[in-house]
Every structure is written in structure tokens, then in C-alpha cells.
């Protein structure tokens, strides 16, 4: 289907982009276009002006430091996959990106676009929540950092103001010894997940889990942390009994919607299985990333 008509600008500075966005009520940012273009084609959006971010080179940087990782909003999925440093600096992020869409889409789609689009089944909003990322923005009133826990408000709804641009995703540092697992189920590889789980925990001197973080996608109107499952894990060795308890707690804690793809009961059971498998991966008795 043909796109609706729109004007197009391609600013070369961030301040120019902010001014364009603030000066036009009907403007929309264009990053990789992999969500926005289908929205235009289906007439789900009809902006009068597209502000293309592709010339803002500062938004393409990946910085890895002792105090954390900073990903510019225009970092593409393929950039994350190609950066060998990230495989040790943040293996959970890299594992999740491997499940995002298909090769062609990963060559254009960006992390900032995905966070702004806020699809409830998308991997990286789930990782941002699970890893307590900060979403750094710039708008006409200045800069701010929005915690991921306050950013995702519903399906395709976020805490972004209309004139705000995401400039960076900030992830806390990742200790080398951290245990992690990522699992999702999609009908075809590259499709959005019907349910998925990202899990990490650190260990005390006796090998018991502490500071467990469990985030899930595809089972609510936004990514969700499962605090009851985290409570099951904290202080325990991740053995068969704990994994079974966590699986049951996960199925009980979510309240998934019913849709054309699956019943609520199916999704609840599936999510329990994703949590179980992710935990097995984290504990080292199965691959940490599968699906
Ligand atoms: C067939 C197909 C399969 C897909 N499968 C998956 C999948 O399995 N998992 C997944 O996560 N995604 C999937 N996607 C979506 C893909 O990952 C997109 O690339 C991503 O969601 C949006 O990134 P983008 O750079 O293309 O953003 P765009 O499409 O350009 O923009 C998306 C939205 O974000 C806004 N925006 C963009 N950048 C910024 C910014 N810096 N600040 C503020 N707002 C901004 C835009 O205005 C727009 O509203 C799929 C897409 C397709 C077409």
C-alpha cells in the first residue's frame, strides 16, 4: 500500500532535530523505519513531517566503560551483533538481539526506535526493564534520564513527551560472573515472541542466587518484572526444586491477554516453560539462549 503524503527533513544536528520536532505538532521521528513504515502503510500513523535521524552520527556510538554500557539510540541490531566486546560486556543483550526480527530488518532497525515503539512483545524493552536501563532523552525543556521501570506505559505507549528524542540507552555494568538466561517462543524464527523471559542473578559465596531479576515479554500490555519469581530465586541454589517452584510462580504471576495467536491459558503455561528454560540456562544445565 502507498504511504500517506508527508514532508521529509534530515537534520545534521541534534538541536536542529529537537527544534523541528518541537515546532511541528504532526512531526514524527524516523530511525530505521522498520516499525514506522508499516504503520504508515497500514494508515496507523499519518504524520505531516518525518524527521530522519540518520545523519546524527553521535547517536550511533557504543561506549563500554567500567561503570556501564551506553548505546546511542541509532545503534542498529546488526551493530550490536557485530561488536565483539558486547558478547562479554553484556551477553544477555546480545542473546536477546539475536531473536529480533530477520537479517534485513536487523540491518536497519535501531535500539532507540524499538524502545520508543514499545511493542509489548519486543525483546529490548524487556531487556531494558530487566537490566534497569536508563533511557536518556533530549527535548525542548532539556535532557532527562527516564528509568525503564517508568518508561513503558502500555502497548506502543511510553513516558516520552512529543518533543523528546531518545539519545541513549544506559545499561549498568555487567559483572563477568553473573548468571543469565534468555528464552522466547515464536511461531517462526524472527517473529515477535508469543512469550519470552530474560533472567539474571548474581551468586553469594555458597552459590545461592541473589539480586535476581526476571523480566518477561509478550504476556502483558508492556514488559513486566516478576517480583514473586525473583523472591523464589533469591537466597536459593538454582536446582531442580527451585526451578520447578519458579516456573509455577511465573505462570501464576502473569495475566496474559487472549488473542488470535493463543489463549490466555496457553500463554501462561508457555511463559512458565520459558522461565524454566531460561533458569536452566542460567544455572548452566542447558544453553543460556535458545528459542
Ligand atoms: C517483519 C518484522 C519483524 C519484526 N520482528 C521483531 C521482533 O521479533 N522483535 C522486535 O523487537 N522487533 C521486531 N521488529 C521491529 C524492528 O525491530 C524495528 O526495527 C524496531 O521496532 C523499530 O526500530 P526502527 O529503528 O526501525 O524505528 P522506526 O520504525 O523508525 O520508528 C519506530 C517508532 O519510534 C520512534 N522513534 C524512532 N527513533 C526514536 C528516537 N531516537 N527517539 C524517540 N522516538 C523515536 C518513531 O517516531 C516511531 O514512532 C520487526 C519488524 C518487522 C518489519
Amino acid at each position: 500500500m502507498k504511504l500517506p503524503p508527508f514532508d521529509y527533513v534530515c537534520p545534521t544536528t541534534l538541536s536542529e532535530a529537537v527544534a523541528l520536532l518541537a515546532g511541528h505538532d504532526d512531526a514524527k521521528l524516523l530511525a530505521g523505519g522498520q516499525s514506522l513504515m508499516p504503520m504508515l502503510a497500514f494508515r496507523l500513523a499519518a504524520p505531516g513531517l518525518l524527521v530522519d535521524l540518520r545523519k546524527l552520527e553521535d547517536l550511533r556510538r557504543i561506549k563500554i566503560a567500567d561503570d556501564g554500557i551506553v548505546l546511542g539510540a541509532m545503534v542498529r541490531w546488526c551493530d550490536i551483533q557485530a561488536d565483539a566486546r558486547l558478547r562479554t560486556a553484556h551477553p544477555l543483550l546480545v542473546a536477546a538481539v539475536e531473536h529480533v526480527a530477520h537479517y534485513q530488518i536487523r540491518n536497519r532497525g535501531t535500539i532507540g526506535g524499538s524502545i520508543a515503539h514499545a511493542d509489548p512483545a519486543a525483546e529490548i524493552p524487556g531487556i531494558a526493564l530487566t537490566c534497569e536501563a536508563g533511557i536518556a532523552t533530549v527535548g525542548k525543556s532539556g535532557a532527562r534520564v527516564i528509568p525503564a521501570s517508568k518508561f513503558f506505559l502500555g502497548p506502543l505507549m511510553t513516558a516520552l513527551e512529543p518533543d523528546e528524542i531518545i539519545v541513549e540507552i544506559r545499561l549498568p555494568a555487567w559483572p563477568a560472573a553473573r548468571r543469565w538466561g534468555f528464552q522466547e517462543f515464536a511461531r517462526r524464527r524472527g517473529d515477535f515472541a508469543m512469550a519470552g523471559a530474560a533472567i539474571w542473578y548474581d551468586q553469594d559465596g555458597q552459590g545461592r542466587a541473589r539480586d535476581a531479576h526476571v523480566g518477561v515479554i509478550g504476556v502483558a500490555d508492556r514488559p513486566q518484572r516478576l517480583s514473586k519469581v525473583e523472591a523464589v530465586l533469591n537466597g536459593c541454589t538454582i536446582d531442580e526444586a527451585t526451578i520447578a517452584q519458579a516456573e509455577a510462580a511465573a505462570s501464576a504471576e502473569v495475566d496474559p491477554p487472549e488473542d488470535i495467536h493463543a489463549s490466555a491459558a496457553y500463554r501462561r503455561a508457555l511463559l512458565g516453560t520459558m522461565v524454566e528454560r531460561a533458569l536452566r540456562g542460567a544455572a548452566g544445565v542447558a544453553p543460556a539462549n535458545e528459542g
Side-chain angles (χ1 to χ4, degrees):
M1 198 192 279
K2 282 187 184 165
L3 304 182
F6 54 80
D7 290 327
Y8 170 88
V9 279
C10 193
T12 51
T13 65
L14 184 58
S15 51
E16 207 188 325
V18 169
L20 281 161
L21 203 52
H24 296 82
D25 287 346
D26 60 350
K28 225 167 180 10
L29 297 171
L30 173 65
Q34 300 303 298
S35 295
L36 186 55
M37 287 301 148
M39 300 269 288
L40 298 184
F42 285 116
R43 300 293 194 274
L44 296 171
L49 177 70
L50 285 192
V51 181
D52 193 340
L53 299 177
R54 76 188 160 87
K55 288 192 180 160
L56 304 187
E57 287 301 323
D58 283 354
L59 303 194
R60 295 193 184 279
R61 293 205 185 117
I62 298 179
K63 285 179 258 173
I64 300 173
D66 289 346
D67 60 348
I69 296 162
V70 178
L71 301 159
M74 288 297 284
V75 168
R76 297 167 304 165
W77 306 127
C78 63
D79 299 324
I80 293 173
Q81 290 185 296
D83 193 322
R85 301 170 303 162
L86 283 172
R87 294 185 181 271
T88 42
H90 211 296
L92 178 60
L93 169 73
V94 177
V97 167
E98 278 162 13
H99 292 267
V100 175
H102 312 280
Y103 179 78
Q104 292 85 345
I105 292 157
R106 290 202 297 266
N107 278 338
R108 298 213 55 119
T110 66
I111 189 163
S114 176
I115 298 262
H117 189 61
D119 190 300
E123 288 81 2
I124 298 310
I127 294 296
L129 182 72
T130 314
C131 296
E132 300 186 6
I135 320 290
T137 68
V138 173
K140 67 177 182 214
S141 324
R144 62 175 177 146
V145 180
I146 310 169
S149 58
K150 296 196 162 59
F151 188 85
F152 302 104
L153 303 182
L156 314 191
M157 286 187 282
T158 71
L160 274 179
E161 294 297 334
D163 64 282
E164 281 183 311
I165 299 177
I166 298 174
V167 288
E168 286 174 357
I169 319 306
R170 299 180 185 169
L171 291 161
W174 182 272
R178 180 165 285 167
R179 315 295 311 198
W180 63 274
F182 183 88
Q183 292 283 329
E184 73 170 53
F185 180 81
R187 284 234 174 91
R188 297 170 303 186
R189 188 157 181 94
D191 280 1
F192 279 99
M194 288 175 75
I199 297 181
W200 63 262
Y201 58 86
D202 296 319
Q203 287 175 300
D204 66 15
Q206 278 73 48
R208 291 176 300 227
R210 62 175 177 79
D211 203 19
H213 282 56
V214 178
V216 294
I217 56 172
V219 288
D221 65 352
R222 65 195 89 174
Q224 189 184 349
R225 281 269 298 273
L226 299 187
S227 57
K228 290 181 182 155
V229 182
E230 292 170 359
V232 165
L233 302 177
N234 282 325
C236 292
T237 307
I238 308 305
D239 55 16
E240 289 300 323
T242 308
I243 292 173
Q245 220 186 324
E247 178 184 353
S251 291
E253 192 169 352
V254 296
D255 184 17
E258 182 148 342
D259 61 21
I260 53 165
H261 302 295
S263 67
Y266 177 83
R267 263 212 174 80
R268 193 178 292 114
L270 181 63
L271 192 268
T273 304
M274 294 300 103
V275 166
E276 178 226 318
R277 290 185 185 170
L279 270 175
R280 283 186 197 284
V285 293
N289 173 28
E290 222 178 40

